[in-house]
Amino acid sequence: MDEKDKEQPSDEDTGRTTDHSSTDLVGTCSVDRITSSSPETDVNSSSLPSNKSKGHHRRTSSSVVDDLYHEILRGKAQALKQKHDDQMEQLAALSAMFDDFIEQAGNKSASLQHLRSMAAYSGGTHTAARDREPDGNGGKQLLSKVFHPRPSLLTELFEIPHIQTIHYIFIAVLLVFSLSTGVNDIMYHGTIGVDFRTFQYTFGKLPLVMAIWVCMQVSTLLAVYSGLLYWSKVRNNSHTADYLDYFCLAIYLAYQAVFIAIPAYYIAHLDLPPASATIVVVEQVRFIMKSHAFVREKIPVVIQSTSTKAAKCGEDVDPPLDFGRYIYFQFIPTLIYRDDYPRNKKIRWNFVLSNFANVAGAVMYAYYIFIRFCIPVFRNFNHIHVNPKTFVSSMFSCILPGALLFVMVFFALLHCWMNAFAEMLRFADRMFYRDWWNSTNFSNYYRTWNVIVHDWLYSYIYKDLYTVSVSP
């Protein structure tokens, strides 16, 4: 009975200490309770009849302590594992937050790049694309065109989804125009393509147009370059350079006058249709501006080479003319001649094809606008009495179609056509226009809607007239 009373507290203590939900402090107290015996227990233990019962009690207490230590270690390991898992979850959350931050920073950087690019095209930063060039006469400083690798403004804007949506809207409207024209032709004429007779007439006599264009191109290449080359060689060996210069200048002006007169004569003589005549006139003006830019840029170089020969006591100096560069200049979309231009490394043919497709779409768009809105207004214009009321009504009826036609011509010519040829020739400077739609006055609009022509007028007309006016 006494042994059972003595062992029973130990069993209760063992049950308490082997609880898996006990904390470190409770486990420690349980160990203290087992290892530190009460006086009553010591007395009873001392009265055991044999050493065998004492050894059994020690073994039982030792196993309980080992179990307690194992449970404590297991609890601490589980706590450490849970803490490690929590830390890993926090690190994963921080990593996700950091990735979001990097993505947002990239989006903001792209937006900032677009804003900077748009600002570079604005009229207020027009001087950013040019270098300061002193005129040498004590007057104000004039600017000189400098070419930089840069895309067109609409090319960058079309990378923004919201702006690209506008492009898709125009494509959808073009499809609606095509469907409407086809249905109207089927219902009223029984076939498709009746209205295309106007299109065929407008672009008629294309073989004659191509023949005139080839003649103008050959004349610009051979006559201008050969004349300038001959003048540079004769001038190097002539002692009367002033008289020779005036004589060659007169020949050059006569050539330009003939170049203007002959194509104009053939346009009237052959009775070319409107679009075909427009092609001839536009190409005629382009050739005149290209040839003048080449001559104007090379005249100072030739004069400088003559001075170099004089400084070298009559030693021959090769004229600084390169026919290959002149041919390249004839086809790139710029009117400012330079010996070297920024070039891209490769040609993106998908970009070329997409731009030519946009040109075709813009031409059809303009044709549908003209057919649907302009022709009905003027179809019977000569058959009825025209009074001020009819004239004003007809004029205002064509304002919206005229504005749309202007946008289509700008998009087809100054963006798509120029970018296609620039890409095929790897010409890197694509600033053919600026943000003219943000202009608040006519002067800014005039400088930004056609940068190609404006640069030519500034470089070869304004600067030369200003230099002559301030020269002593």
Side-chain angles (χ1 to χ4, degrees):
M1 185 68 182
D2 293 336
E3 291 179 359
K4 292 180 179 180
D5 292 339
K6 289 185 292 182
E7 293 177 359
Q8 186 174 357
S10 299
D11 293 338
E12 292 178 357
D13 292 339
T14 303
R16 294 190 191 101
T17 55
T18 56
D19 188 2
H20 294 286
S21 62
S22 62
T23 60
D24 296 344
L25 182 61
V26 175
T28 305
C29 294
S30 300
V31 174
D32 293 337
R33 290 177 60 186
I34 293 173
T35 55
S36 61
S37 303
S38 62
E40 183 180 358
T41 306
D42 293 338
V43 173
N44 293 332
S45 299
S46 61
S47 62
L48 290 177
S50 64
N51 294 330
K52 184 177 180 179
S53 61
K54 294 181 180 180
H56 175 72
H57 180 72
R58 291 191 185 97
R59 287 195 298 270
T60 304
S61 299
S62 177
S63 64
V64 170
V65 171
D66 292 339
D67 292 340
L68 285 174
Y69 278 124
H70 290 160
E71 292 298 327
I72 292 170
L73 292 176
R74 186 180 295 109
K76 290 183 177 181
Q78 291 178 353
L80 289 174
K81 182 177 181 300
Q82 184 65 32
K83 183 177 180 181
H84 180 265
D85 293 340
D86 294 339
Q87 291 178 350
M88 292 301 295
E89 291 179 359
Q90 293 177 0
L91 289 175
L94 289 175
S95 178
M97 293 174 61
F98 184 74
D99 292 339
D100 294 339
F101 173 76
I102 293 297
E103 183 177 0
Q104 293 177 1
N107 294 335
K108 291 180 179 180
S109 177
S111 301
L112 181 59
Q113 183 178 3
H114 279 295
L115 291 175
R116 288 176 178 174
S117 177
M118 292 173 65
Y121 283 95
S122 62
T125 57
H126 179 61
T127 58
R130 301 173 179 270
D131 289 339
R132 290 288 182 180
E133 179 184 81
D135 60 0
N137 295 316
K140 67 177 183 180
Q141 289 183 335
L142 300 179
L143 304 176
S144 180
K145 175 72 175 182
V146 178
F147 292 92
H148 303 283
R150 49 195 164 187
S152 296
L153 180 57
L154 287 181
T155 303
E156 289 193 335
L157 289 178
F158 283 152
E159 296 179 0
I160 304 174
H162 299 292
I163 304 299
Q164 196 173 16
T165 302
I166 301 176
H167 188 205
Y168 294 150
I169 290 173
F170 274 89
I171 295 175
V173 174
L174 175 61
L175 296 177
V176 171
F177 269 129
S178 302
L179 181 62
S180 174
T181 303
V183 171
N184 184 74
D185 291 343
I186 293 174
M187 292 180 63
Y188 290 97
H189 304 283
T191 183
I192 298 178
V194 174
D195 286 339
F196 281 96
R197 291 178 300 180
T198 306
F199 186 84
Q200 295 173 357
Y201 163 74
T202 304
F203 288 91
K205 301 182 180 179
L206 284 181
L208 295 175
V209 173
M210 291 302 300
I212 296 173
W213 182 87
V214 170
C215 293
M216 291 191 299
Q217 180 68 80
V218 172
S219 173
T220 304
L221 287 175
L222 299 182
V224 175
Y225 183 83
S226 301
L228 187 63
L229 182 63
Y230 177 78
W231 170 72
S232 63
K233 290 183 177 181
V234 173
R235 193 178 194 278
N236 287 333
N237 300 320
S238 176
H239 299 285
T240 59
D242 294 337
Y243 296 103
L244 179 64
D245 292 344
Y246 287 117
F247 176 74
C248 292
L249 177 61
I251 294 177
Y252 172 72
L253 294 177
Y255 166 79
Q256 294 286 33
V258 171
F259 194 88
I260 294 173
I262 293 179
Y265 168 77
Y266 278 104
I267 290 173
H269 179 71
L270 299 174
D271 193 19
L272 295 180
S276 301
T278 302
I279 293 173
V280 173
V281 171
V282 170
E283 286 297 288
Q284 178 189 27
V285 174
R286 184 177 72 89
F287 288 137
I288 292 174
M289 298 171 78
K290 289 266 190 180
S291 60
H292 180 74
F294 178 71
V295 172
R296 176 61 183 82
E297 292 290 342
K298 285 303 180 181
I299 285 177
V301 180
V302 172
I303 295 175
Q304 181 66 30
S305 66
T306 305
S307 302
T308 304
K309 178 183 177 180
K312 292 183 178 181
C313 301
E315 183 179 351
D316 291 335
V317 177
D318 294 333
L321 301 176
D322 192 326
F323 188 64
R325 291 175 178 175
Y326 180 54
I327 294 177
Y328 180 76
F329 171 65
Q330 287 293 316
F331 295 97
I332 59 175
T334 183
L335 298 175
I336 307 297
Y337 178 81
R338 295 289 186 270
D339 288 333
D340 296 297
Y341 298 95
R343 306 280 293 274
N344 292 331
K345 294 182 179 180
K346 62 180 181 179
I347 301 174
R348 299 172 296 173
W349 290 108
N350 291 334
F351 183 75
V352 174
L353 294 177
S354 65
N355 277 287
F356 280 130
N358 285 330
V359 170
V363 170
M364 296 304 301
Y365 209 119
Y367 175 73
Y368 286 138
I369 291 174
F370 190 78
I371 288 295
R372 292 301 179 192
F373 296 102
C374 297
I375 286 183
V377 175
F378 297 100
R379 179 171 291 161
N380 299 320
F381 202 76
N382 292 331
H383 302 285
I384 61 176
H385 178 68
V386 179
N387 52 38
K389 180 180 178 180
T390 306
F391 178 78
V392 172
S393 177
S394 301
M395 182 179 64
F396 277 90
S397 298
C398 294
I399 288 179
L400 179 59
L404 291 175
L405 288 174
F406 171 78
V407 173
M408 289 299 103
V409 171
F410 159 77
F411 179 72
L413 183 61
L414 288 177
H415 178 72
C416 299
W417 189 266
M418 298 298 179
N419 271 284
F421 273 87
E423 187 67 29
M424 287 190 295
L425 297 172
R426 298 189 294 115
F427 182 71
D429 195 339
R430 312 289 175 84
M431 193 180 65
F432 311 126
Y433 54 88
R434 294 186 178 89
D435 56 337
W436 55 266
W437 47 86
N438 292 327
S439 300
T440 57
N441 52 68
F442 183 78
S443 61
N444 187 54
Y445 164 77
Y446 174 77
R447 291 180 176 91
T448 55
W449 86 275
N450 191 342
V451 175
I452 299 175
V453 174
H454 175 264
D455 286 339
W456 187 89
L457 293 174
Y458 176 85
S459 299
Y460 303 124
I461 303 299
Y462 174 77
K463 287 179 64 176
D464 289 346
L465 292 177
Y466 176 79
T467 303
V468 171
S469 64
V470 300
S471 60

